[in-house]
Amino acid sequence: MKTWHPQRYKQLAKKNKTSCIVIDNALKIGTSVTDNSNSALPVFTLAHLAKQSKTSVKTLDRLISRKELDIEKPNYRVFTIKKKSAKKLKNKTSSVTDLRYICVPCKELHNVQSFINKNILCNLNSHKSVVSYKKESNIYDAALFHCESKWLIKIDIKDFFDSITEISVYRLFRSTGYSPLLSFQMARLCTRVIPRRQNDVSKKTNVNKNYSFKKYNTKYTGSLPQGAPSSPILSNLVGFKMDKDIEKLSETYGFTYTRYADDLFLSTINDNVTRMSCEELTFRMYEILKFHGFEPNLSKTKIIPPGARKVVLGLIVNGIKPKLSKSFKSNLLQHLHFCNHENIGPVMHAKHKRFDSIIGFKNHLKGLISYAIQIDKKFGNEMLFKFKEISWPFE
């Protein structure tokens, strides 16, 4: 992406005999966007977005109109997976609340979402306390903030992506400097209406009277679809004011705050902190979350005292650096043991573990080992050596 220069734009526009009104409006928007972020791409109209993203205006207009609610071919392919918390509960029939909805956009929508993500969203700054979906951040560094802590508070946001509304996304684009109409259109492109089941649409999904354009008038606003390429970064950016409020609150209590998507962590090395003060901080956290339109998952809130095992993003943080948990190591060792067992092998083991395909199981195993190497290089390399000894049926 080339850097946008107002003077260069003005020269080329006049050379192409562009009207003065169009030039003035473009300069106003372009300058506003670049003032907020030097690297964000100025986009002036839907036609301009279509040209830049190599998509037709007609296609974008259809996607923004959300005609997938009325036609057979949807803009998203939706499927469900069990949440991690649901998998841990044995002998329990899965309910709707145990499921995570994954929305995979169609090719055209994926392309324009990826363009917006790469050329606009990735060039905006999220709050410094956010450690998810950033090139310079990883799980190890995110957990490192809370090593050797005395007290640890863990709070989970309920239905995180679904709680981030189209109106919040619109406000983000507007605050970046884009025009009201284009901000509306890009917000529509990055969100989805989800009446997934009967009586599933709550009052908060009703269209705001001040947020409407006649051409695109619909009854409900959308929310972030989990599975769209633009959703992760948007979830970082939209929560900026919330993160700022939480950081200010945590500092008054002497705590360090970080957020990884919908997982919030607060910790302190102060020996004088009491459970009562931790509970007070937690309740005040709930108030901030609700003020910003989020609902805490009360059943997942944990206050972990000194001496107890502390886990952040799956890593043990009781020591000076994050470590792999015993359960993770045991699980990985078990996989490799049975895969290399002469009477079992990878095919039987993958079938026993209910993997859909042997290739999928192999990729899963490679992912676990890559993760292990990032956290514990010695252990990870030992596992990699065992992995290379496996006799796969297609090799």
Side-chain angles (χ1 to χ4, degrees), residues 328-359:
F328 177 89
K329 287 184 174 182
S330 176
N331 178 58
L332 184 51
L333 283 166
Q334 184 190 68
H335 280 315
L336 294 168
H337 169 74
F338 287 114
C339 284
N340 282 310
H341 197 289
E342 59 180 4
N343 295 327
I344 299 175
V347 177
M348 287 181 62
H349 182 63
K351 186 177 180 181
H352 176 71
K353 291 295 183 179
R354 298 183 179 180
F355 279 84
D356 294 331
S357 69
I358 187 66
I359 294 177

PDB file of all heavy atoms in Angstrom, residues 328-359:
ATOM      1  N   PHE A 328      -0.820 -30.758  29.899  1.00  0.00           N
ATOM      2  CA  PHE A 328      -0.458 -30.564  28.482  1.00  0.00           C
ATOM      3  C   PHE A 328       0.657 -31.519  28.092  1.00  0.00           C
ATOM      4  O   PHE A 328       0.591 -32.186  27.056  1.00  0.00           O
ATOM      5  CB  PHE A 328      -0.024 -29.122  28.242  1.00  0.00           C
ATOM      6  CG  PHE A 328       0.439 -28.854  26.827  1.00  0.00           C
ATOM      7  CD1 PHE A 328      -0.464 -28.470  25.856  1.00  0.00           C
ATOM      8  CD2 PHE A 328       1.779 -29.017  26.465  1.00  0.00           C
ATOM      9  CE1 PHE A 328      -0.049 -28.246  24.543  1.00  0.00           C
ATOM     10  CE2 PHE A 328       2.204 -28.791  25.170  1.00  0.00           C
ATOM     11  CZ  PHE A 328       1.285 -28.402  24.207  1.00  0.00           C
ATOM     12  N   LYS A 329       1.701 -31.576  28.927  1.00  0.00           N
ATOM     13  CA  LYS A 329       2.827 -32.461  28.637  1.00  0.00           C
ATOM     14  C   LYS A 329       2.381 -33.921  28.599  1.00  0.00           C
ATOM     15  O   LYS A 329       2.781 -34.685  27.716  1.00  0.00           O
ATOM     16  CB  LYS A 329       3.918 -32.282  29.693  1.00  0.00           C
ATOM     17  CG  LYS A 329       4.693 -30.977  29.589  1.00  0.00           C
ATOM     18  CD  LYS A 329       5.819 -30.945  30.610  1.00  0.00           C
ATOM     19  CE  LYS A 329       6.700 -29.722  30.452  1.00  0.00           C
ATOM     20  NZ  LYS A 329       7.830 -29.708  31.403  1.00  0.00           N
ATOM     21  N   SER A 330       1.546 -34.295  29.554  1.00  0.00           N
ATOM     22  CA  SER A 330       1.071 -35.676  29.628  1.00  0.00           C
ATOM     23  C   SER A 330       0.255 -36.040  28.404  1.00  0.00           C
ATOM     24  O   SER A 330       0.405 -37.142  27.854  1.00  0.00           O
ATOM     25  CB  SER A 330       0.224 -35.851  30.896  1.00  0.00           C
ATOM     26  OG  SER A 330      -0.334 -37.144  30.959  1.00  0.00           O
ATOM     27  N   ASN A 331      -0.594 -35.117  27.966  1.00  0.00           N
ATOM     28  CA  ASN A 331      -1.433 -35.357  26.789  1.00  0.00           C
ATOM     29  C   ASN A 331      -0.577 -35.545  25.539  1.00  0.00           C
ATOM     30  O   ASN A 331      -0.807 -36.460  24.736  1.00  0.00           O
ATOM     31  CB  ASN A 331      -2.385 -34.182  26.598  1.00  0.00           C
ATOM     32  CG  ASN A 331      -3.266 -34.333  25.367  1.00  0.00           C
ATOM     33  OD1 ASN A 331      -4.003 -35.309  25.237  1.00  0.00           O
ATOM     34  ND2 ASN A 331      -3.188 -33.368  24.481  1.00  0.00           N
ATOM     35  N   LEU A 332       0.423 -34.681  25.365  1.00  0.00           N
ATOM     36  CA  LEU A 332       1.300 -34.765  24.200  1.00  0.00           C
ATOM     37  C   LEU A 332       2.135 -36.044  24.227  1.00  0.00           C
ATOM     38  O   LEU A 332       2.281 -36.736  23.201  1.00  0.00           O
ATOM     39  CB  LEU A 332       2.213 -33.539  24.150  1.00  0.00           C
ATOM     40  CG  LEU A 332       3.140 -33.396  22.946  1.00  0.00           C
ATOM     41  CD1 LEU A 332       2.387 -33.554  21.642  1.00  0.00           C
ATOM     42  CD2 LEU A 332       3.861 -32.047  22.991  1.00  0.00           C
ATOM     43  N   LEU A 333       2.668 -36.384  25.388  1.00  0.00           N
ATOM     44  CA  LEU A 333       3.442 -37.628  25.525  1.00  0.00           C
ATOM     45  C   LEU A 333       2.589 -38.855  25.222  1.00  0.00           C
ATOM     46  O   LEU A 333       3.055 -39.817  24.605  1.00  0.00           O
ATOM     47  CB  LEU A 333       4.013 -37.723  26.946  1.00  0.00           C
ATOM     48  CG  LEU A 333       5.238 -36.851  27.235  1.00  0.00           C
ATOM     49  CD1 LEU A 333       5.482 -36.765  28.739  1.00  0.00           C
ATOM     50  CD2 LEU A 333       6.478 -37.413  26.526  1.00  0.00           C
ATOM     51  N   GLN A 334       1.337 -38.812  25.656  1.00  0.00           N
ATOM     52  CA  GLN A 334       0.423 -39.934  25.403  1.00  0.00           C
ATOM     53  C   GLN A 334       0.187 -40.122  23.904  1.00  0.00           C
ATOM     54  O   GLN A 334       0.238 -41.240  23.390  1.00  0.00           O
ATOM     55  CB  GLN A 334      -0.911 -39.688  26.105  1.00  0.00           C
ATOM     56  CG  GLN A 334      -1.896 -40.840  25.979  1.00  0.00           C
ATOM     57  CD  GLN A 334      -3.275 -40.467  26.461  1.00  0.00           C
ATOM     58  OE1 GLN A 334      -3.959 -39.652  25.848  1.00  0.00           O
ATOM     59  NE2 GLN A 334      -3.684 -41.053  27.583  1.00  0.00           N
ATOM     60  N   HIS A 335      -0.074 -39.018  23.206  1.00  0.00           N
ATOM     61  CA  HIS A 335      -0.265 -39.076  21.756  1.00  0.00           C
ATOM     62  C   HIS A 335       0.946 -39.735  21.077  1.00  0.00           C
ATOM     63  O   HIS A 335       0.801 -40.651  20.256  1.00  0.00           O
ATOM     64  CB  HIS A 335      -0.448 -37.664  21.188  1.00  0.00           C
ATOM     65  CG  HIS A 335      -1.822 -37.113  21.345  1.00  0.00           C
ATOM     66  ND1 HIS A 335      -2.962 -37.831  21.068  1.00  0.00           N
ATOM     67  CD2 HIS A 335      -2.251 -35.876  21.740  1.00  0.00           C
ATOM     68  CE1 HIS A 335      -4.030 -37.081  21.278  1.00  0.00           C
ATOM     69  NE2 HIS A 335      -3.620 -35.887  21.705  1.00  0.00           N
ATOM     70  N   LEU A 336       2.125 -39.264  21.404  1.00  0.00           N
ATOM     71  CA  LEU A 336       3.344 -39.748  20.756  1.00  0.00           C
ATOM     72  C   LEU A 336       3.651 -41.195  21.135  1.00  0.00           C
ATOM     73  O   LEU A 336       4.144 -41.969  20.302  1.00  0.00           O
ATOM     74  CB  LEU A 336       4.521 -38.831  21.125  1.00  0.00           C
ATOM     75  CG  LEU A 336       4.407 -37.396  20.584  1.00  0.00           C
ATOM     76  CD1 LEU A 336       5.440 -36.490  21.225  1.00  0.00           C
ATOM     77  CD2 LEU A 336       4.556 -37.385  19.068  1.00  0.00           C
ATOM     78  N   HIS A 337       3.342 -41.561  22.364  1.00  0.00           N
ATOM     79  CA  HIS A 337       3.573 -42.943  22.806  1.00  0.00           C
ATOM     80  C   HIS A 337       2.742 -43.922  21.978  1.00  0.00           C
ATOM     81  O   HIS A 337       3.277 -44.918  21.444  1.00  0.00           O
ATOM     82  CB  HIS A 337       3.228 -43.089  24.293  1.00  0.00           C
ATOM     83  CG  HIS A 337       3.195 -44.512  24.756  1.00  0.00           C
ATOM     84  ND1 HIS A 337       4.351 -45.256  24.950  1.00  0.00           N
ATOM     85  CD2 HIS A 337       2.141 -45.336  25.050  1.00  0.00           C
ATOM     86  CE1 HIS A 337       4.007 -46.483  25.349  1.00  0.00           C
ATOM     87  NE2 HIS A 337       2.681 -46.554  25.415  1.00  0.00           N
ATOM     88  N   PHE A 338       1.453 -43.663  21.853  1.00  0.00           N
ATOM     89  CA  PHE A 338       0.575 -44.576  21.126  1.00  0.00           C
ATOM     90  C   PHE A 338       0.794 -44.523  19.617  1.00  0.00           C
ATOM     91  O   PHE A 338       0.603 -45.527  18.926  1.00  0.00           O
ATOM     92  CB  PHE A 338      -0.887 -44.289  21.464  1.00  0.00           C
ATOM     93  CG  PHE A 338      -1.276 -44.742  22.844  1.00  0.00           C
ATOM     94  CD1 PHE A 338      -1.619 -43.823  23.815  1.00  0.00           C
ATOM     95  CD2 PHE A 338      -1.273 -46.093  23.181  1.00  0.00           C
ATOM     96  CE1 PHE A 338      -1.966 -44.231  25.093  1.00  0.00           C
ATOM     97  CE2 PHE A 338      -1.611 -46.514  24.454  1.00  0.00           C
ATOM     98  CZ  PHE A 338      -1.961 -45.582  25.416  1.00  0.00           C
ATOM     99  N   CYS A 339       1.200 -43.356  19.115  1.00  0.00           N
ATOM    100  CA  CYS A 339       1.488 -43.256  17.679  1.00  0.00           C
ATOM    101  C   CYS A 339       2.718 -44.085  17.304  1.00  0.00           C
ATOM    102  O   CYS A 339       2.816 -44.607  16.188  1.00  0.00           O
ATOM    103  CB  CYS A 339       1.710 -41.801  17.276  1.00  0.00           C
ATOM    104  SG  CYS A 339       0.197 -40.837  17.152  1.00  0.00           S
ATOM    105  N   ASN A 340       3.666 -44.200  18.226  1.00  0.00           N
ATOM    106  CA  ASN A 340       4.889 -44.973  17.968  1.00  0.00           C
ATOM    107  C   ASN A 340       4.799 -46.418  18.466  1.00  0.00           C
ATOM    108  O   ASN A 340       5.742 -47.196  18.299  1.00  0.00           O
ATOM    109  CB  ASN A 340       6.083 -44.279  18.632  1.00  0.00           C
ATOM    110  CG  ASN A 340       6.573 -43.078  17.827  1.00  0.00           C
ATOM    111  OD1 ASN A 340       6.794 -43.180  16.625  1.00  0.00           O
ATOM    112  ND2 ASN A 340       6.729 -41.928  18.483  1.00  0.00           N
ATOM    113  N   HIS A 341       3.662 -46.781  19.069  1.00  0.00           N
ATOM    114  CA  HIS A 341       3.471 -48.152  19.580  1.00  0.00           C
ATOM    115  C   HIS A 341       3.260 -49.104  18.411  1.00  0.00           C
ATOM    116  O   HIS A 341       2.432 -48.858  17.532  1.00  0.00           O
ATOM    117  CB  HIS A 341       2.267 -48.183  20.522  1.00  0.00           C
ATOM    118  CG  HIS A 341       2.215 -49.394  21.386  1.00  0.00           C
ATOM    119  ND1 HIS A 341       1.915 -50.654  20.901  1.00  0.00           N
ATOM    120  CD2 HIS A 341       2.434 -49.540  22.715  1.00  0.00           C
ATOM    121  CE1 HIS A 341       1.939 -51.523  21.895  1.00  0.00           C
ATOM    122  NE2 HIS A 341       2.254 -50.867  23.014  1.00  0.00           N
ATOM    123  N   GLU A 342       4.000 -50.211  18.409  1.00  0.00           N
ATOM    124  CA  GLU A 342       3.963 -51.124  17.264  1.00  0.00           C
ATOM    125  C   GLU A 342       2.604 -51.796  17.072  1.00  0.00           C
ATOM    126  O   GLU A 342       2.248 -52.200  15.952  1.00  0.00           O
ATOM    127  CB  GLU A 342       5.047 -52.208  17.423  1.00  0.00           C
ATOM    128  CG  GLU A 342       4.912 -53.049  18.682  1.00  0.00           C
ATOM    129  CD  GLU A 342       6.002 -54.096  18.802  1.00  0.00           C
ATOM    130  OE1 GLU A 342       6.907 -54.108  17.947  1.00  0.00           O
ATOM    131  OE2 GLU A 342       5.946 -54.883  19.763  1.00  0.00           O
ATOM    132  N   ASN A 343       1.815 -51.916  18.140  1.00  0.00           N
ATOM    133  CA  ASN A 343       0.503 -52.566  18.034  1.00  0.00           C
ATOM    134  C   ASN A 343      -0.657 -51.576  17.877  1.00  0.00           C
ATOM    135  O   ASN A 343      -1.818 -51.985  17.795  1.00  0.00           O
ATOM    136  CB  ASN A 343       0.248 -53.431  19.273  1.00  0.00           C
ATOM    137  CG  ASN A 343       1.216 -54.594  19.366  1.00  0.00           C
ATOM    138  OD1 ASN A 343       1.642 -55.145  18.342  1.00  0.00           O
ATOM    139  ND2 ASN A 343       1.608 -54.945  20.583  1.00  0.00           N
ATOM    140  N   ILE A 344      -0.336 -50.276  17.852  1.00  0.00           N
ATOM    141  CA  ILE A 344      -1.412 -49.277  17.750  1.00  0.00           C
ATOM    142  C   ILE A 344      -1.172 -48.375  16.538  1.00  0.00           C
ATOM    143  O   ILE A 344      -1.853 -48.483  15.531  1.00  0.00           O
ATOM    144  CB  ILE A 344      -1.514 -48.452  19.053  1.00  0.00           C
ATOM    145  CG1 ILE A 344      -1.831 -49.384  20.235  1.00  0.00           C
ATOM    146  CG2 ILE A 344      -2.593 -47.373  18.920  1.00  0.00           C
ATOM    147  CD1 ILE A 344      -1.846 -48.711  21.573  1.00  0.00           C
ATOM    148  N   GLY A 345      -0.223 -47.464  16.628  1.00  0.00           N
ATOM    149  CA  GLY A 345       0.095 -46.587  15.496  1.00  0.00           C
ATOM    150  C   GLY A 345      -0.843 -45.393  15.393  1.00  0.00           C
ATOM    151  O   GLY A 345      -1.865 -45.305  16.081  1.00  0.00           O
ATOM    152  N   PRO A 346      -0.530 -44.462  14.496  1.00  0.00           N
ATOM    153  CA  PRO A 346      -1.278 -43.207  14.384  1.00  0.00           C
ATOM    154  C   PRO A 346      -2.720 -43.360  13.908  1.00  0.00           C
ATOM    155  O   PRO A 346      -3.596 -42.612  14.341  1.00  0.00           O
ATOM    156  CB  PRO A 346      -0.454 -42.381  13.390  1.00  0.00           C
ATOM    157  CG  PRO A 346       0.307 -43.381  12.595  1.00  0.00           C
ATOM    158  CD  PRO A 346       0.614 -44.500  13.552  1.00  0.00           C
ATOM    159  N   VAL A 347      -2.988 -44.322  13.027  1.00  0.00           N
ATOM    160  CA  VAL A 347      -4.342 -44.485  12.476  1.00  0.00           C
ATOM    161  C   VAL A 347      -5.320 -44.936  13.554  1.00  0.00           C
ATOM    162  O   VAL A 347      -6.392 -44.336  13.739  1.00  0.00           O
ATOM    163  CB  VAL A 347      -4.348 -45.490  11.307  1.00  0.00           C
ATOM    164  CG1 VAL A 347      -5.773 -45.711  10.804  1.00  0.00           C
ATOM    165  CG2 VAL A 347      -3.472 -44.979  10.170  1.00  0.00           C
ATOM    166  N   MET A 348      -4.967 -45.972  14.284  1.00  0.00           N
ATOM    167  CA  MET A 348      -5.834 -46.474  15.350  1.00  0.00           C
ATOM    168  C   MET A 348      -5.990 -45.450  16.465  1.00  0.00           C
ATOM    169  O   MET A 348      -7.084 -45.264  17.019  1.00  0.00           O
ATOM    170  CB  MET A 348      -5.277 -47.790  15.910  1.00  0.00           C
ATOM    171  CG  MET A 348      -5.433 -48.985  15.001  1.00  0.00           C
ATOM    172  SD  MET A 348      -4.788 -50.505  15.740  1.00  0.00           S
ATOM    173  CE  MET A 348      -5.850 -50.666  17.188  1.00  0.00           C
ATOM    174  N   HIS A 349      -4.897 -44.772  16.799  1.00  0.00           N
ATOM    175  CA  HIS A 349      -4.949 -43.795  17.880  1.00  0.00           C
ATOM    176  C   HIS A 349      -5.831 -42.607  17.490  1.00  0.00           C
ATOM    177  O   HIS A 349      -6.635 -42.125  18.314  1.00  0.00           O
ATOM    178  CB  HIS A 349      -3.540 -43.312  18.224  1.00  0.00           C
ATOM    179  CG  HIS A 349      -3.508 -42.333  19.354  1.00  0.00           C
ATOM    180  ND1 HIS A 349      -3.906 -42.655  20.634  1.00  0.00           N
ATOM    181  CD2 HIS A 349      -3.149 -41.014  19.385  1.00  0.00           C
ATOM    182  CE1 HIS A 349      -3.782 -41.599  21.414  1.00  0.00           C
ATOM    183  NE2 HIS A 349      -3.322 -40.592  20.684  1.00  0.00           N
ATOM    184  N   ALA A 350      -5.693 -42.121  16.250  1.00  0.00           N
ATOM    185  CA  ALA A 350      -6.510 -40.995  15.785  1.00  0.00           C
ATOM    186  C   ALA A 350      -7.988 -41.369  15.791  1.00  0.00           C
ATOM    187  O   ALA A 350      -8.848 -40.559  16.162  1.00  0.00           O
ATOM    188  CB  ALA A 350      -6.071 -40.573  14.386  1.00  0.00           C
ATOM    189  N   LYS A 351      -8.279 -42.606  15.396  1.00  0.00           N
ATOM    190  CA  LYS A 351      -9.668 -43.082  15.392  1.00  0.00           C
ATOM    191  C   LYS A 351     -10.202 -43.163  16.822  1.00  0.00           C
ATOM    192  O   LYS A 351     -11.354 -42.798  17.094  1.00  0.00           O
ATOM    193  CB  LYS A 351      -9.738 -44.452  14.720  1.00  0.00           C
ATOM    194  CG  LYS A 351     -11.149 -44.976  14.538  1.00  0.00           C
ATOM    195  CD  LYS A 351     -11.146 -46.303  13.794  1.00  0.00           C
ATOM    196  CE  LYS A 351     -12.567 -46.815  13.610  1.00  0.00           C
ATOM    197  NZ  LYS A 351     -12.582 -48.130  12.899  1.00  0.00           N
ATOM    198  N   HIS A 352      -9.367 -43.653  17.737  1.00  0.00           N
ATOM    199  CA  HIS A 352      -9.765 -43.769  19.142  1.00  0.00           C
ATOM    200  C   HIS A 352     -10.043 -42.386  19.745  1.00  0.00           C
ATOM    201  O   HIS A 352     -10.960 -42.237  20.566  1.00  0.00           O
ATOM    202  CB  HIS A 352      -8.654 -44.465  19.941  1.00  0.00           C
ATOM    203  CG  HIS A 352      -8.932 -44.544  21.413  1.00  0.00           C
ATOM    204  ND1 HIS A 352      -9.894 -45.373  21.953  1.00  0.00           N
ATOM    205  CD2 HIS A 352      -8.380 -43.871  22.458  1.00  0.00           C
ATOM    206  CE1 HIS A 352      -9.931 -45.205  23.272  1.00  0.00           C
ATOM    207  NE2 HIS A 352      -9.008 -44.304  23.604  1.00  0.00           N
ATOM    208  N   LYS A 353      -9.272 -41.385  19.322  1.00  0.00           N
ATOM    209  CA  LYS A 353      -9.448 -40.021  19.825  1.00  0.00           C
ATOM    210  C   LYS A 353     -10.509 -39.249  19.042  1.00  0.00           C
ATOM    211  O   LYS A 353     -10.722 -38.064  19.260  1.00  0.00           O
ATOM    212  CB  LYS A 353      -8.117 -39.260  19.761  1.00  0.00           C
ATOM    213  CG  LYS A 353      -7.064 -39.757  20.755  1.00  0.00           C
ATOM    214  CD  LYS A 353      -7.505 -39.512  22.181  1.00  0.00           C
ATOM    215  CE  LYS A 353      -6.438 -39.931  23.180  1.00  0.00           C
ATOM    216  NZ  LYS A 353      -6.863 -39.663  24.586  1.00  0.00           N
ATOM    217  N   ARG A 354     -11.165 -39.941  18.100  1.00  0.00           N
ATOM    218  CA  ARG A 354     -12.294 -39.396  17.337  1.00  0.00           C
ATOM    219  C   ARG A 354     -11.921 -38.213  16.448  1.00  0.00           C
ATOM    220  O   ARG A 354     -12.677 -37.241  16.324  1.00  0.00           O
ATOM    221  CB  ARG A 354     -13.436 -39.011  18.279  1.00  0.00           C
ATOM    222  CG  ARG A 354     -14.006 -40.199  19.042  1.00  0.00           C
ATOM    223  CD  ARG A 354     -15.172 -39.794  19.911  1.00  0.00           C
ATOM    224  NE  ARG A 354     -15.712 -40.958  20.621  1.00  0.00           N
ATOM    225  CZ  ARG A 354     -16.748 -40.917  21.463  1.00  0.00           C
ATOM    226  NH1 ARG A 354     -17.326 -39.742  21.707  1.00  0.00           N
ATOM    227  NH2 ARG A 354     -17.174 -42.008  22.062  1.00  0.00           N
ATOM    228  N   PHE A 355     -10.750 -38.287  15.833  1.00  0.00           N
ATOM    229  CA  PHE A 355     -10.379 -37.296  14.826  1.00  0.00           C
ATOM    230  C   PHE A 355     -11.028 -37.679  13.505  1.00  0.00           C
ATOM    231  O   PHE A 355     -11.161 -38.870  13.188  1.00  0.00           O
ATOM    232  CB  PHE A 355      -8.857 -37.219  14.670  1.00  0.00           C
ATOM    233  CG  PHE A 355      -8.187 -36.392  15.726  1.00  0.00           C
ATOM    234  CD1 PHE A 355      -7.853 -36.944  16.960  1.00  0.00           C
ATOM    235  CD2 PHE A 355      -7.905 -35.052  15.497  1.00  0.00           C
ATOM    236  CE1 PHE A 355      -7.247 -36.179  17.944  1.00  0.00           C
ATOM    237  CE2 PHE A 355      -7.299 -34.276  16.479  1.00  0.00           C
ATOM    238  CZ  PHE A 355      -6.965 -34.840  17.707  1.00  0.00           C
ATOM    239  N   ASP A 356     -11.452 -36.676  12.738  1.00  0.00           N
ATOM    240  CA  ASP A 356     -12.150 -36.938  11.476  1.00  0.00           C
ATOM    241  C   ASP A 356     -11.238 -37.526  10.411  1.00  0.00           C
ATOM    242  O   ASP A 356     -11.681 -38.264   9.542  1.00  0.00           O
ATOM    243  CB  ASP A 356     -12.789 -35.642  10.939  1.00  0.00           C
ATOM    244  CG  ASP A 356     -13.903 -35.145  11.840  1.00  0.00           C
ATOM    245  OD1 ASP A 356     -14.544 -35.989  12.495  1.00  0.00           O
ATOM    246  OD2 ASP A 356     -14.126 -33.921  11.901  1.00  0.00           O
ATOM    247  N   SER A 357      -9.952 -37.156  10.463  1.00  0.00           N
ATOM    248  CA  SER A 357      -9.013 -37.668   9.456  1.00  0.00           C
ATOM    249  C   SER A 357      -7.623 -37.785  10.058  1.00  0.00           C
ATOM    250  O   SER A 357      -7.290 -37.101  11.034  1.00  0.00           O
ATOM    251  CB  SER A 357      -8.967 -36.730   8.243  1.00  0.00           C
ATOM    252  OG  SER A 357      -8.353 -35.503   8.580  1.00  0.00           O
ATOM    253  N   ILE A 358      -6.817 -38.636   9.464  1.00  0.00           N
ATOM    254  CA  ILE A 358      -5.451 -38.830   9.933  1.00  0.00           C
ATOM    255  C   ILE A 358      -4.606 -37.581   9.660  1.00  0.00           C
ATOM    256  O   ILE A 358      -3.722 -37.225  10.452  1.00  0.00           O
ATOM    257  CB  ILE A 358      -4.810 -40.081   9.262  1.00  0.00           C
ATOM    258  CG1 ILE A 358      -3.442 -40.375   9.889  1.00  0.00           C
ATOM    259  CG2 ILE A 358      -4.721 -39.919   7.771  1.00  0.00           C
ATOM    260  CD1 ILE A 358      -3.487 -40.791  11.337  1.00  0.00           C
ATOM    261  N   ILE A 359      -4.907 -36.897   8.549  1.00  0.00           N
ATOM    262  CA  ILE A 359      -4.178 -35.663   8.227  1.00  0.00           C
ATOM    263  C   ILE A 359      -4.511 -34.577   9.255  1.00  0.00           C
ATOM    264  O   ILE A 359      -3.632 -33.841   9.709  1.00  0.00           O
ATOM    265  CB  ILE A 359      -4.520 -35.184   6.799  1.00  0.00           C
ATOM    266  CG1 ILE A 359      -4.005 -36.201   5.768  1.00  0.00           C
ATOM    267  CG2 ILE A 359      -3.912 -33.801   6.529  1.00  0.00           C
ATOM    268  CD1 ILE A 359      -4.361 -35.869   4.341  1.00  0.00           C
TER     269      ILE A 359
END
